[in-house]
Amino acid sequence: MARELVRSGHLVRSLRLAPFATSAAAVAAYLVARLGDTHDAIGDLRVLGLLLALGSGYALDDSAAITLQASPYGLARRLWLRIACAVAVVVPVWAAVLAVYLPSAPAGDRWSLGLGLTTELAATVTVMWAVAAWARRQGFDQPGIITTPVLLASLLLAASIPQAPMLVGLGREWTPAHLRWSGIAVAATCALVAAMRDPAARWATRG
C-alpha cells in the first residue's frame, strides 16, 4: 500500500508542499544574499537549519486525517510516510548547504562542525514532528501552525539558559552542548513514537 501511495503520487499530493517550497526558496535567497560570504559558517548554518525546520513542522498536516482513521493502514505507518517525504526534502538541501559552507571552516574542524550542526537540525526537526504528532493526537488535523511558535519559544529558551549553553561556537563547550542536543533528539524521538501509537490500541498486560 505504501509503495502504491508513493508510485501513484497520492502521498505527495496530500502533503502541504507550500511550507517546504517556502523554506527551500528562503534557503536559496539567503545563500544568494550572502553572495559567497561564508566567514560566519556556524551562524549562517543555524539560520538555514531554522528555515528548514520551520517548513518541516508542517509535514504531518493532513486534512483527510478523519477519513483515513478507519483505514486498515495504521496511524504510525501513515505518519512515518509523511516524515519520510519531509526527510527526502530536508536531507539533500542540508547536504548542499553544508557543501557550500564547510570548505570555509578549518580543515580540522569540518567534521565536528558538520556533525554538530546536523545534530542540532535533527533534534530541532524531531521536536517539531513530536509536537505536531501530539497535536494530531489531540484532534488537530493541521498542527503545523502550532510548531512555529513552539520552535521560536524553544530557541529563546535554549539561548537563555547560561548553565547549559546550547547555541555555542567551536571550543570547549561544543561537545557538551551537542551531547545535550543528542539527548533532546532521543527524548523527542521517544515522544514522537509514543504519539504515533494508535489511540484505539491498548498496552499489553500480563494475566
Side-chain angles (χ1 to χ4, degrees):
M1 186 179 292
R3 185 166 54 250
E4 180 60 24
L5 285 171
V6 174
R7 187 195 65 77
S8 65
H10 292 311
L11 179 63
V12 174
R13 288 194 294 272
S14 71
L15 292 171
R16 290 189 65 186
L17 298 179
F20 291 105
T22 302
S23 290
V27 168
Y30 189 92
L31 292 174
V32 170
R34 298 293 289 174
L35 294 176
D37 182 6
T38 57
H39 296 298
D40 184 19
I42 294 177
D44 285 347
L45 285 170
R46 281 184 174 140
V47 170
L48 294 168
L50 174 62
L51 293 174
L52 289 175
L54 285 170
S56 300
Y58 293 80
L60 301 187
D61 282 10
D62 185 5
S63 58
I66 295 177
T67 303
L68 294 176
Q69 282 176 356
S71 169
Y73 202 62
L75 173 65
R77 290 182 179 181
R78 297 199 303 271
L79 296 187
W80 279 124
L81 276 174
R82 290 179 169 276
I83 288 174
C85 289
V87 169
V89 174
V90 172
V91 169
V93 174
W94 182 247
V97 168
L98 289 179
V100 171
Y101 278 92
L102 288 186
S104 66
D109 294 332
R110 290 173 189 168
W111 174 257
S112 60
L113 181 64
L115 180 61
L117 292 173
T118 300
T119 300
E120 292 183 20
L121 176 61
T124 303
V125 171
T126 306
V127 169
M128 295 299 94
W129 290 333
V131 169
W134 277 103
R136 281 280 303 271
R137 198 176 181 88
Q138 300 304 314
F140 290 91
D141 295 332
Q142 309 287 342
I145 193 65
I146 300 173
T147 64
T148 299
V150 169
L151 175 57
L152 298 178
S154 299
L155 289 176
L156 290 174
L157 180 63
S160 63
I161 304 178
Q163 295 83 0
M166 302 289 286
L167 303 175
V168 300
L170 284 172
R172 185 167 54 90
E173 291 289 341
W174 184 260
T175 299
H178 289 91
L179 289 175
R180 290 188 282 271
W181 278 108
S182 299
I184 292 173
V186 170
T189 300
C190 293
L192 177 60
V193 171
M196 287 182 172
R197 181 173 170 78
D198 197 308
R202 295 290 183 267
W203 295 105
T205 57
R206 295 187 179 185

